[in-house]
Amino acid sequence: MPPMKNNKVVLITGCSSGIGRKLAILMHERGHKVYAGGRRWESVKTLCDLGITPVELDVTSSEQCEEALKVILAKEGRIDILVNNAGVGIMGPLIELEDKQIEEQLAVNVHSVIRMSRVAAQPMIEQRGGLIVNIGSVSGILVTPFSGIYGASKAAGEGLLAAYAEG
């Protein structure tokens, strides 16, 4: 694919594997300056070999989220796109899940979306432009057996999108 003319500064969370990793590679191939965040450093740092800037980023840590944005703003002077992709899928009957599992699911799939959006929105407002993309799931609309807390977390994500759209 040819590079885009207006190269953007992009931060993608959850780039250790899966959708985030593939998206980081695709955005880089399109000519964007990509910062790939992930908490599994051994995996995310390999993206450096492709010309992508890895960022050690546990989205459940306010400090790491704020630090990631500070580093990007110091190096690039702006943030154009944030992709909230980080997620976990805890499966099992809802009544059998431990509190710790439920808290982890909500911390990563809900709280981190709010946290990352909040830290990225301020510089985007100041620069009068930017885009925040949240990766969702059909499970936010249609919950499948043994994925109740995952579905609930993705439904919350859908609600956040509606809330952000309304201001």
CSV table of all heavy atoms in Angstrom, one decimal, residues 110-158:
chain,number,residue,atom,x,y,z
A,110,VAL,N,-12.2,-1.3,30.1
A,110,VAL,CA,-13.0,-0.1,30.3
A,110,VAL,C,-12.2,1.0,30.9
A,110,VAL,O,-12.1,2.1,30.2
A,110,VAL,CB,-14.2,-0.4,31.3
A,110,VAL,CG1,-15.1,0.8,31.5
A,110,VAL,CG2,-15.1,-1.6,30.7
A,111,HIS,N,-11.6,0.9,32.0
A,111,HIS,CA,-10.9,2.0,32.7
A,111,HIS,C,-9.8,2.5,31.8
A,111,HIS,O,-9.5,3.7,31.8
A,111,HIS,CB,-10.4,1.6,34.1
A,111,HIS,CG,-11.5,1.2,35.0
A,111,HIS,ND1,-11.3,0.4,36.1
A,111,HIS,CD2,-12.9,1.4,35.0
A,111,HIS,CE1,-12.4,0.2,36.7
A,111,HIS,NE2,-13.4,0.8,36.1
A,112,SER,N,-9.1,1.6,31.1
A,112,SER,CA,-7.9,2.1,30.4
A,112,SER,C,-8.4,2.9,29.2
A,112,SER,O,-7.7,3.8,28.7
A,112,SER,CB,-7.1,0.9,29.9
A,112,SER,OG,-7.7,0.2,28.8
A,113,VAL,N,-9.6,2.6,28.6
A,113,VAL,CA,-10.1,3.4,27.5
A,113,VAL,C,-10.3,4.8,28.0
A,113,VAL,O,-10.0,5.8,27.3
A,113,VAL,CB,-11.4,2.8,26.9
A,113,VAL,CG1,-12.0,3.7,25.9
A,113,VAL,CG2,-11.1,1.4,26.3
A,114,ILE,N,-10.9,5.0,29.1
A,114,ILE,CA,-11.1,6.3,29.7
A,114,ILE,C,-9.8,7.0,30.0
A,114,ILE,O,-9.6,8.1,29.6
A,114,ILE,CB,-12.0,6.2,31.0
A,114,ILE,CG1,-13.3,5.6,30.7
A,114,ILE,CG2,-12.1,7.6,31.7
A,114,ILE,CD1,-14.1,5.2,31.9
A,115,ARG,N,-8.9,6.3,30.6
A,115,ARG,CA,-7.6,6.8,31.0
A,115,ARG,C,-6.8,7.3,29.8
A,115,ARG,O,-6.3,8.4,29.8
A,115,ARG,CB,-6.8,5.7,31.8
A,115,ARG,CG,-5.5,6.1,32.3
A,115,ARG,CD,-4.8,5.0,33.1
A,115,ARG,NE,-5.6,4.6,34.2
A,115,ARG,CZ,-6.3,3.5,34.4
A,115,ARG,NH1,-6.2,2.5,33.5
A,115,ARG,NH2,-6.9,3.2,35.5
A,116,MET,N,-6.6,6.4,28.8
A,116,MET,CA,-5.9,6.8,27.6
A,116,MET,C,-6.5,7.9,26.9
A,116,MET,O,-5.8,8.8,26.4
A,116,MET,CB,-5.7,5.6,26.7
A,116,MET,CG,-4.7,4.5,27.2
A,116,MET,SD,-3.0,5.1,27.6
A,116,MET,CE,-2.6,5.9,26.0
A,117,SER,N,-7.8,7.9,26.7
A,117,SER,CA,-8.5,8.9,26.0
A,117,SER,C,-8.4,10.3,26.7
A,117,SER,O,-8.2,11.3,26.1
A,117,SER,CB,-10.0,8.6,25.9
A,117,SER,OG,-10.2,7.4,25.1
A,118,ARG,N,-8.4,10.2,28.0
A,118,ARG,CA,-8.3,11.5,28.8
A,118,ARG,C,-6.9,12.1,28.6
A,118,ARG,O,-6.8,13.3,28.3
A,118,ARG,CB,-8.5,11.2,30.3
A,118,ARG,CG,-8.5,12.4,31.1
A,118,ARG,CD,-8.9,12.1,32.6
A,118,ARG,NE,-8.0,11.1,33.1
A,118,ARG,CZ,-8.4,10.0,33.8
A,118,ARG,NH1,-9.7,9.8,34.0
A,118,ARG,NH2,-7.6,9.1,34.3
A,119,VAL,N,-5.8,11.3,28.6
A,119,VAL,CA,-4.5,11.8,28.5
A,119,VAL,C,-4.2,12.2,27.0
A,119,VAL,O,-3.4,13.2,26.8
A,119,VAL,CB,-3.4,10.9,29.0
A,119,VAL,CG1,-3.5,10.7,30.5
A,119,VAL,CG2,-3.3,9.6,28.3
A,120,ALA,N,-4.8,11.6,26.1
A,120,ALA,CA,-4.6,12.0,24.7
A,120,ALA,C,-5.5,13.1,24.2
A,120,ALA,O,-5.1,13.9,23.4
A,120,ALA,CB,-4.8,10.8,23.8
A,121,ALA,N,-6.6,13.3,24.8
A,121,ALA,CA,-7.6,14.3,24.4
A,121,ALA,C,-7.1,15.7,24.6
A,121,ALA,O,-7.3,16.6,23.8
A,121,ALA,CB,-8.9,14.1,25.1
A,122,GLN,N,-6.4,15.9,25.8
A,122,GLN,CA,-5.9,17.3,26.1
A,122,GLN,C,-5.0,17.9,25.0
A,122,GLN,O,-5.2,18.9,24.5
A,122,GLN,CB,-5.3,17.4,27.5
A,122,GLN,CG,-5.1,18.8,27.9
A,122,GLN,CD,-6.4,19.6,27.9
A,122,GLN,OE1,-7.5,19.2,28.4
A,122,GLN,NE2,-6.3,20.8,27.3
A,123,PRO,N,-3.9,17.1,24.6
A,123,PRO,CA,-3.1,17.7,23.5
A,123,PRO,C,-3.8,17.8,22.2
A,123,PRO,O,-3.6,18.7,21.4
A,123,PRO,CB,-1.9,16.7,23.5
A,123,PRO,CG,-2.2,15.6,24.3
A,123,PRO,CD,-3.3,15.9,25.2
A,124,MET,N,-4.8,16.9,22.0
A,124,MET,CA,-5.5,16.9,20.7
A,124,MET,C,-6.4,18.2,20.7
A,124,MET,O,-6.6,18.8,19.7
A,124,MET,CB,-6.4,15.7,20.5
A,124,MET,CG,-5.6,14.5,20.2
A,124,MET,SD,-6.7,13.0,20.0
A,124,MET,CE,-5.5,11.7,19.6
A,125,ILE,N,-7.0,18.5,21.8
A,125,ILE,CA,-7.8,19.8,21.9
A,125,ILE,C,-6.9,21.0,21.7
A,125,ILE,O,-7.3,21.9,20.9
A,125,ILE,CB,-8.5,19.8,23.3
A,125,ILE,CG1,-9.6,18.8,23.4
A,125,ILE,CG2,-9.1,21.2,23.5
A,125,ILE,CD1,-10.1,18.5,24.8
A,126,GLU,N,-5.7,21.0,22.3
A,126,GLU,CA,-4.8,22.1,22.2
A,126,GLU,C,-4.3,22.3,20.7
A,126,GLU,O,-4.1,23.4,20.3
A,126,GLU,CB,-3.6,22.0,23.1
A,126,GLU,CG,-4.1,22.1,24.6
A,126,GLU,CD,-3.0,21.7,25.6
A,126,GLU,OE1,-1.8,21.4,25.2
A,126,GLU,OE2,-3.3,21.7,26.8
A,127,GLN,N,-4.1,21.2,20.0
A,127,GLN,CA,-3.6,21.2,18.7
A,127,GLN,C,-4.8,21.3,17.7
A,127,GLN,O,-4.6,21.4,16.5
A,127,GLN,CB,-2.7,20.0,18.3
A,127,GLN,CG,-3.4,18.7,18.3
A,127,GLN,CD,-2.5,17.5,18.3
A,127,GLN,OE1,-1.4,17.6,18.9
A,127,GLN,NE2,-2.9,16.4,17.8
A,128,ARG,N,-6.0,21.3,18.2
A,128,ARG,CA,-7.2,21.5,17.4
A,128,ARG,C,-7.4,20.4,16.4
A,128,ARG,O,-7.9,20.7,15.3
A,128,ARG,CB,-7.3,22.9,16.8
A,128,ARG,CG,-7.2,24.0,17.8
A,128,ARG,CD,-7.2,25.4,17.2
A,128,ARG,NE,-8.6,25.6,16.6
A,128,ARG,CZ,-9.5,26.4,17.2
A,128,ARG,NH1,-9.2,27.0,18.2
A,128,ARG,NH2,-10.6,26.5,16.6
A,129,GLY,N,-7.1,19.2,16.8
A,129,GLY,CA,-7.3,18.1,15.9
A,129,GLY,C,-6.8,16.8,16.5
A,129,GLY,O,-5.9,16.8,17.3
A,130,GLY,N,-7.4,15.7,16.1
A,130,GLY,CA,-7.0,14.4,16.5
A,130,GLY,C,-8.1,13.4,16.4
A,130,GLY,O,-9.2,13.8,16.1
A,131,LEU,N,-7.7,12.1,16.5
A,131,LEU,CA,-8.7,11.1,16.4
A,131,LEU,C,-8.5,10.0,17.5
A,131,LEU,O,-7.3,9.6,17.6
A,131,LEU,CB,-8.6,10.4,15.0
A,131,LEU,CG,-9.5,9.2,14.7
A,131,LEU,CD1,-11.0,9.7,14.7
A,131,LEU,CD2,-9.1,8.6,13.4
A,132,ILE,N,-9.5,9.6,18.2
A,132,ILE,CA,-9.4,8.5,19.1
A,132,ILE,C,-10.3,7.4,18.6
A,132,ILE,O,-11.5,7.6,18.4
A,132,ILE,CB,-9.8,8.9,20.5
A,132,ILE,CG1,-8.9,10.0,21.0
A,132,ILE,CG2,-9.8,7.7,21.5
A,132,ILE,CD1,-9.3,10.6,22.4
A,133,VAL,N,-9.7,6.2,18.5
A,133,VAL,CA,-10.4,5.0,18.0
A,133,VAL,C,-10.4,3.9,19.0
A,133,VAL,O,-9.3,3.6,19.6
A,133,VAL,CB,-9.7,4.4,16.7
A,133,VAL,CG1,-10.4,3.2,16.2
A,133,VAL,CG2,-9.6,5.5,15.6
A,134,ASN,N,-11.5,3.4,19.3
A,134,ASN,CA,-11.7,2.3,20.3
A,134,ASN,C,-12.0,1.0,19.6
A,134,ASN,O,-13.0,1.0,18.9
A,134,ASN,CB,-12.7,2.6,21.4
A,134,ASN,CG,-12.4,3.9,22.2
A,134,ASN,OD1,-11.3,4.2,22.3
A,134,ASN,ND2,-13.4,4.5,22.7
A,135,ILE,N,-11.2,0.0,19.8
A,135,ILE,CA,-11.5,-1.3,19.2
A,135,ILE,C,-12.5,-2.0,20.0
A,135,ILE,O,-12.3,-2.2,21.2
A,135,ILE,CB,-10.2,-2.2,19.1
A,135,ILE,CG1,-9.1,-1.4,18.3
A,135,ILE,CG2,-10.5,-3.5,18.5
A,135,ILE,CD1,-9.5,-1.1,16.8
A,136,GLY,N,-13.6,-2.3,19.4
A,136,GLY,CA,-14.7,-3.0,20.2
A,136,GLY,C,-14.8,-4.4,19.8
A,136,GLY,O,-13.9,-5.0,19.3
A,137,SER,N,-16.0,-5.0,20.1
A,137,SER,CA,-16.3,-6.4,19.8
A,137,SER,C,-17.7,-6.6,19.6
A,137,SER,O,-18.5,-5.9,20.3
A,137,SER,CB,-15.7,-7.3,20.9
A,137,SER,OG,-16.1,-8.6,20.7
A,138,VAL,N,-18.1,-7.5,18.8
A,138,VAL,CA,-19.5,-7.9,18.6
A,138,VAL,C,-20.0,-8.4,20.0
A,138,VAL,O,-21.2,-8.3,20.3
A,138,VAL,CB,-19.7,-8.9,17.5
A,138,VAL,CG1,-19.1,-10.3,17.9
A,138,VAL,CG2,-21.2,-9.1,17.1
A,139,SER,N,-19.1,-8.9,20.9
A,139,SER,CA,-19.5,-9.3,22.2
A,139,SER,C,-20.1,-8.2,23.0
A,139,SER,O,-20.7,-8.5,24.1
A,139,SER,CB,-18.4,-10.0,22.9
A,139,SER,OG,-18.0,-11.2,22.2
A,140,GLY,N,-19.9,-7.0,22.7
A,140,GLY,CA,-20.5,-5.9,23.4
A,140,GLY,C,-22.0,-5.7,23.1
A,140,GLY,O,-22.7,-5.0,23.8
A,141,ILE,N,-22.4,-6.4,22.0
A,141,ILE,CA,-23.8,-6.4,21.6
A,141,ILE,C,-24.5,-7.7,21.8
A,141,ILE,O,-25.6,-7.8,22.3
A,141,ILE,CB,-23.9,-6.0,20.1
A,141,ILE,CG1,-23.3,-4.6,19.9
A,141,ILE,CG2,-25.4,-6.0,19.6
A,141,ILE,CD1,-23.0,-4.2,18.5
A,142,LEU,N,-23.8,-8.8,21.5
A,142,LEU,CA,-24.3,-10.1,21.6
A,142,LEU,C,-23.3,-11.0,22.4
A,142,LEU,O,-22.3,-11.4,22.0
A,142,LEU,CB,-24.3,-10.8,20.2
A,142,LEU,CG,-24.8,-12.2,20.1
A,142,LEU,CD1,-26.3,-12.3,20.5
A,142,LEU,CD2,-24.7,-12.7,18.6
A,143,VAL,N,-23.7,-11.2,23.7
A,143,VAL,CA,-22.9,-11.9,24.6
A,143,VAL,C,-23.1,-13.4,24.4
A,143,VAL,O,-24.2,-13.9,24.2
A,143,VAL,CB,-23.3,-11.5,26.1
A,143,VAL,CG1,-22.4,-12.3,27.1
A,143,VAL,CG2,-23.1,-10.0,26.3
A,144,THR,N,-21.9,-14.1,24.4
A,144,THR,CA,-22.0,-15.5,24.2
A,144,THR,C,-21.8,-16.3,25.5
A,144,THR,O,-21.3,-15.7,26.5
A,144,THR,CB,-20.8,-15.9,23.2
A,144,THR,OG1,-19.6,-15.4,23.6
A,144,THR,CG2,-21.1,-15.3,21.8
A,145,PRO,N,-22.1,-17.5,25.5
A,145,PRO,CA,-22.0,-18.3,26.8
A,145,PRO,C,-20.5,-18.2,27.3
A,145,PRO,O,-19.6,-18.3,26.6
A,145,PRO,CB,-22.3,-19.7,26.4
A,145,PRO,CG,-23.2,-19.5,25.2
A,145,PRO,CD,-22.7,-18.3,24.5
A,146,PHE,N,-20.4,-18.1,28.6
A,146,PHE,CA,-19.1,-18.1,29.3
A,146,PHE,C,-18.3,-16.9,29.0
A,146,PHE,O,-17.1,-16.9,29.3
A,146,PHE,CB,-18.4,-19.4,29.1
A,146,PHE,CG,-19.2,-20.6,29.5
A,146,PHE,CD1,-19.7,-21.5,28.5
A,146,PHE,CD2,-19.4,-20.9,30.8
A,146,PHE,CE1,-20.5,-22.6,28.9
A,146,PHE,CE2,-20.1,-22.0,31.2
A,146,PHE,CZ,-20.7,-22.9,30.2
A,147,SER,N,-18.9,-15.9,28.5
A,147,SER,CA,-18.1,-14.6,28.2
A,147,SER,C,-18.8,-13.4,28.8
A,147,SER,O,-18.7,-12.3,28.2
A,147,SER,CB,-17.8,-14.5,26.7
A,147,SER,OG,-19.0,-14.3,26.0
A,148,GLY,N,-19.5,-13.6,29.9
A,148,GLY,CA,-20.4,-12.5,30.4
A,148,GLY,C,-19.6,-11.3,30.8
A,148,GLY,O,-20.0,-10.2,30.5
A,149,ILE,N,-18.5,-11.4,31.5
A,149,ILE,CA,-17.8,-10.3,32.0
A,149,ILE,C,-17.1,-9.6,30.8
A,149,ILE,O,-17.0,-8.4,30.7
A,149,ILE,CB,-16.8,-10.6,33.2
A,149,ILE,CG1,-16.3,-9.2,33.8
A,149,ILE,CG2,-15.7,-11.4,32.7
A,149,ILE,CD1,-17.4,-8.4,34.4
A,150,TYR,N,-16.6,-10.4,29.9
A,150,TYR,CA,-16.0,-9.8,28.6
A,150,TYR,C,-17.1,-9.1,27.9
A,150,TYR,O,-16.8,-7.9,27.5
A,150,TYR,CB,-15.4,-11.0,27.8
A,150,TYR,CG,-14.8,-10.4,26.5
A,150,TYR,CD1,-13.6,-9.8,26.5
A,150,TYR,CD2,-15.5,-10.6,25.3
A,150,TYR,CE1,-13.1,-9.3,25.3
A,150,TYR,CE2,-15.0,-10.2,24.1
A,150,TYR,CZ,-13.8,-9.5,24.1
A,150,TYR,OH,-13.2,-9.0,22.9
A,151,GLY,N,-18.2,-9.6,27.7
A,151,GLY,CA,-19.3,-9.0,27.0
A,151,GLY,C,-19.7,-7.7,27.7
A,151,GLY,O,-20.0,-6.6,27.0
A,152,ALA,N,-19.8,-7.7,29.0
A,152,ALA,CA,-20.2,-6.5,29.8
A,152,ALA,C,-19.1,-5.4,29.6
A,152,ALA,O,-19.5,-4.3,29.5
A,152,ALA,CB,-20.4,-6.9,31.2
A,153,SER,N,-17.9,-5.8,29.6
A,153,SER,CA,-16.8,-4.8,29.4
A,153,SER,C,-16.8,-4.2,28.0
A,153,SER,O,-16.6,-3.0,27.9
A,153,SER,CB,-15.4,-5.4,29.7
A,153,SER,OG,-15.0,-6.3,28.7
A,154,LYS,N,-17.1,-5.0,27.0
A,154,LYS,CA,-17.2,-4.5,25.7
A,154,LYS,C,-18.5,-3.6,25.5
A,154,LYS,O,-18.5,-2.6,24.7
A,154,LYS,CB,-17.1,-5.6,24.6
A,154,LYS,CG,-15.8,-6.2,24.6
A,154,LYS,CD,-14.7,-5.1,24.2
A,154,LYS,CE,-13.3,-5.7,24.0
A,154,LYS,NZ,-12.4,-4.7,23.6
A,155,ALA,N,-19.6,-4.0,26.2
A,155,ALA,CA,-20.8,-3.2,26.1
A,155,ALA,C,-20.5,-1.8,26.8
A,155,ALA,O,-21.0,-0.8,26.3
A,155,ALA,CB,-21.9,-3.9,26.8
A,156,ALA,N,-19.7,-1.8,27.9
A,156,ALA,CA,-19.3,-0.6,28.5
A,156,ALA,C,-18.6,0.3,27.5
A,156,ALA,O,-18.7,1.5,27.4
A,156,ALA,CB,-18.5,-0.8,29.8
A,157,GLY,N,-17.7,-0.4,26.7
A,157,GLY,CA,-16.9,0.4,25.7
A,157,GLY,C,-17.9,1.0,24.7
A,157,GLY,O,-17.6,2.2,24.3
A,158,GLU,N,-18.9,0.3,24.3
A,158,GLU,CA,-19.9,0.9,23.4
A,158,GLU,C,-20.6,2.1,24.0
A,158,GLU,O,-20.8,3.2,23.4
A,158,GLU,CB,-20.9,-0.1,23.0
A,158,GLU,CG,-20.4,-1.3,22.1
A,158,GLU,CD,-19.9,-0.8,20.8
A,158,GLU,OE1,-20.6,0.0,20.1
A,158,GLU,OE2,-18.8,-1.3,20.4
